[in-house]
Each structure stands twice: as C-alpha cells, then as structure tokens.
Amino acid sequence: MIDETDRRIIRATQEGLPLEARPYHRIAADLGLEPAEVMRRLGRMLEDGVIRRIGVVPNHYALGYKANGMTCWDIPDDRIRDAGANVGALDFVSHCYWRPRHLPYWPYNLFAMVHGRDKASVEAQVEIIARLLGPDDRGHQILYSTRILKKTGMRIG
Amino acid sequence: MTRETKATLDEADRAIVNALQGGFPLVDEPFAEVGSRLGLPTDEVIERIRRMLDDGILSRFGPMYHAERLGGGLTLAALRVPAERYEEVAAIVNAFPEVAHNYAREHDLNMWFVLATETPEGIADTVGRIEAATGLTVYNMPKREEFFVGLRFEA
C-alpha cells in the first residue's frame, strides 16, 4: 500500500510540515522529488486513510479543556457495534473504540473519550451517553486524567 | 507534568485553530489559500501557527498518520501501580520509546499508556518487557473496532 518513496515522505513529515509559504516544495527539494509528486502522494495517502487528516492538533489543556474523561462502558457484546456507532457519532466524543474486557477486574468493553472545560460538563455528557445507550449500559465509569506523564508523536516509517 | 499554558488566543488564532483541524490544502501555496479563506495575509497565518506551536497551544501541525495502516502495532494498556512506586514506574515506562502517550488516571488502574510499534508483533514483545522491567501485570486492551476518531476542539 505504501512504497519506499511514501515512507521517505512520512519520515520527512511526521514531526510536522515546514512553516513556510510552499511547504510541499521544501519537502520535495529535501527528498529530490517533484513538488507535484509529494502533493499527489500525500493526497493518495489521505484517500487511503494512511493519513487521517492534515492540520493542527490543539493541546486541549491549553484551550481550557481541563477535564478529560476516558469513559468506559460495559455493553453486551451483541450490541456493541450499534452502541459504538451511536456513541461515536456524538459531537463531544473524540475517540470511540471497542476493546477487550479483563474479567473480573475490568468489565468495560466500549471506550469513549469526552472532553470538557470542567468535570460537571463531562458528567453532563456522560448522562447523554447513558440515556442514548439505555439498557445496553450495564455499568460505566469515568477515568479522569490527572497528569500527562508522556506525550510524544508516534515514531513510524 | 501537565503543561500549564496560558492560552491567550485572539479571534484570528481561534479562526485558524477551528478551521485547520483537518483539510489543510494540498496546493503549491497552502497557507495563502487558508489565509484568503480566513481573510489573513499568508505570512500572518504562518507566524500565528508558529507562535501557537511555540506556546504549546498546538501540539502538532502536519499530517496525522494512521499507525496500523502503515503496518505498525498500536494498543492501549494499563497498570495498577502502588502509590509508593508511582514515580519510579512512570520513569521505567516512559523510557520505552514504544510508549507514545502516558496518562495518570483516577482509578485502581492508575497508569494508561499507548504503545506504538513498527510491527504488530512488537506489541506483545514490548508488553513482556514492560512487565519484566516493572514487575507489574500489563492490562493490554488493543482495539477490536474503531467507531470514531476525530479530535475537534473549539478554541
């Protein structure tokens, strides 16, 4: 799906795009490629989902989103796809995944990240999720982050 | 530690953050195109992004790659760390280059981290090495399905 030239472009951009008027021309010059080819390959990787999106990632703490709740739900396995699709579609949910339980200690299989400016707004959003899930919600918890211990970009390519 | 940043954003900064959480154009002069959309000169768009990166208001600017589609491994894992060992274990875990993010959370499972490895098999290997280095059980929770991923924050 990706070839060696794609990998070189990935390595050159995983720390970010050059902050200059023609960033793709800069990457092309550094790699000995044509600018049009760099743009074409980035566009293809976007279409294929190798790149999720190109843009800025705000530091949500810095924007005032101080309450970051990882909400974890115990959903019947035969209902998880419907539940996940519905919860993932809510505009205040930033990530939504089905993950394995670790019984008996960890019964939760649906994870949804919810961000608010304070805990009250996270809790109000959790109430909305609980109402949406109805009887499929067999129990849930909010795990608030208290500290970022490490945050680096992923190293790939 | 959580980076405490005083986010002093004006209207133009907010417009850039809200407009650019995806959709940065693939054209010769993308900042000019963004600028004309937002009514800002090209140089100003670039300078504002640079300043917000320097100030920690933005943590990244560029393509966001999808680790699994690149052939790598990715998982979320948790540890129950005794309170008296918390800082020691955090240092051990953070020293693994495969640990991309690590968060303290309010629960018995009080340390949650994302592992990113070059191959899918690298996850089990890294989990084993973290267990050996910490003496603690790693609760590995790889995703079974992704329903939504898309950070959208209004500035």
Side-chain angles (χ1 to χ4, degrees):
Chain A
M1 192 139 145
I2 53 170
D3 63 16
E4 188 46 38
T5 303
D6 292 331
R7 285 199 171 267
R8 291 174 65 218
I9 294 172
I10 293 166
R11 278 187 221 109
T13 56
Q14 63 184 344
E15 298 291 324
L17 284 178
L19 289 168
E20 52 188 271
R22 300 180 153 223
Y24 307 119
H25 291 242
R26 163 66 57 197
I27 295 160
D30 290 348
L31 299 179
L33 300 169
E34 288 300 318
E37 180 167 14
V38 170
M39 286 183 261
R40 187 180 58 75
R41 285 174 176 271
L42 287 169
R44 207 203 55 236
M45 287 192 273
L46 259 172
E47 270 173 34
D48 293 348
V50 170
I51 296 174
R52 289 183 183 275
R53 64 211 154 86
I54 304 177
V56 301
V57 180
N59 171 345
H60 47 270
Y61 286 94
L63 292 186
Y65 292 84
K66 308 271 185 202
N68 300 287
M70 185 173 71
T71 75
C72 305
W73 305 78
D74 175 9
I75 308 290
D77 283 337
D78 63 352
R79 296 285 309 144
I80 187 109
R81 287 202 167 87
D82 281 349
N86 290 335
V87 173
L90 294 169
D91 64 4
F92 52 82
V93 170
S94 69
H95 299 75
C96 185
Y97 294 107
W98 177 12
R99 298 187 182 279
R101 300 183 171 90
H102 284 270
L103 293 172
Y105 185 62
W106 183 259
Y108 307 111
N109 56 347
L110 184 70
F111 286 59
M113 286 299 312
V114 175
H115 306 268
R117 294 185 192 275
D118 51 41
K119 285 187 177 181
S121 69
V122 169
E123 276 149 27
Q125 290 166 335
V126 166
E127 269 311 301
I128 293 170
I129 298 175
R131 273 202 305 267
L132 180 68
L133 291 171
D136 290 341
D137 170 21
R138 298 188 302 198
H140 64 262
Q141 275 203 347
I142 310 172
L143 276 66
Y144 288 105
S145 63
T146 51
R147 256 208 289 169
I148 301 175
L149 302 168
K150 183 178 185 181
K151 188 167 186 176
T152 59
M154 292 176 193
R155 297 291 179 269
I156 41 187
Chain B
M1 284 296 294
T2 300
R3 197 153 33 154
E4 279 297 330
T5 314
K6 275 273 175 283
T8 47
L9 302 182
D10 64 17
E11 279 310 303
D13 291 333
R14 288 177 202 283
I16 289 170
V17 173
N18 291 333
L20 278 194
Q21 293 182 48
F24 189 68
L26 285 163
V27 297
D28 288 328
E29 302 206 342
F31 292 103
E33 186 174 314
V34 170
S36 74
R37 236 191 284 155
L38 300 178
L40 297 167
T42 305
D43 289 352
E44 193 179 330
V45 174
I46 294 172
E47 278 318 305
R48 284 174 181 272
I49 292 174
R50 189 193 313 281
R51 200 200 65 238
M52 288 190 281
L53 283 166
D54 288 346
D55 290 350
I57 290 160
L58 302 178
S59 51
R60 260 186 70 81
F61 166 68
M64 260 55 77
Y65 288 100
H66 190 317
E68 292 106 324
R69 301 234 172 125
L70 291 170
L74 193 70
T75 197
L76 175 70
L79 287 172
R80 309 163 79 165
V81 184
E84 67 277 12
R85 292 192 59 203
Y86 204 85
E87 299 308 315
E88 173 217 341
V89 170
I92 293 170
V93 170
N94 289 351
F96 280 81
E98 295 88 350
V99 173
H101 306 161
N102 188 7
Y103 286 85
R105 293 194 182 276
E106 292 172 341
H107 189 268
D108 274 2
L109 288 174
N110 52 7
M111 190 179 291
W112 290 78
F113 48 91
V114 170
L115 295 180
T117 57
E118 291 207 359
T119 63
E121 301 74 41
I123 295 294
D125 170 69
T126 307
V127 164
R129 286 187 292 125
I130 291 175
E131 290 189 329
T134 61
L136 300 170
T137 299
V138 170
Y139 291 80
N140 186 18
M141 302 187 206
K143 79 174 177 204
R144 291 214 167 125
E145 206 159 306
E146 177 180 300
F147 299 112
F148 182 79
V149 172
L151 290 163
R152 292 160 303 196
F153 291 103
E154 195 153 324

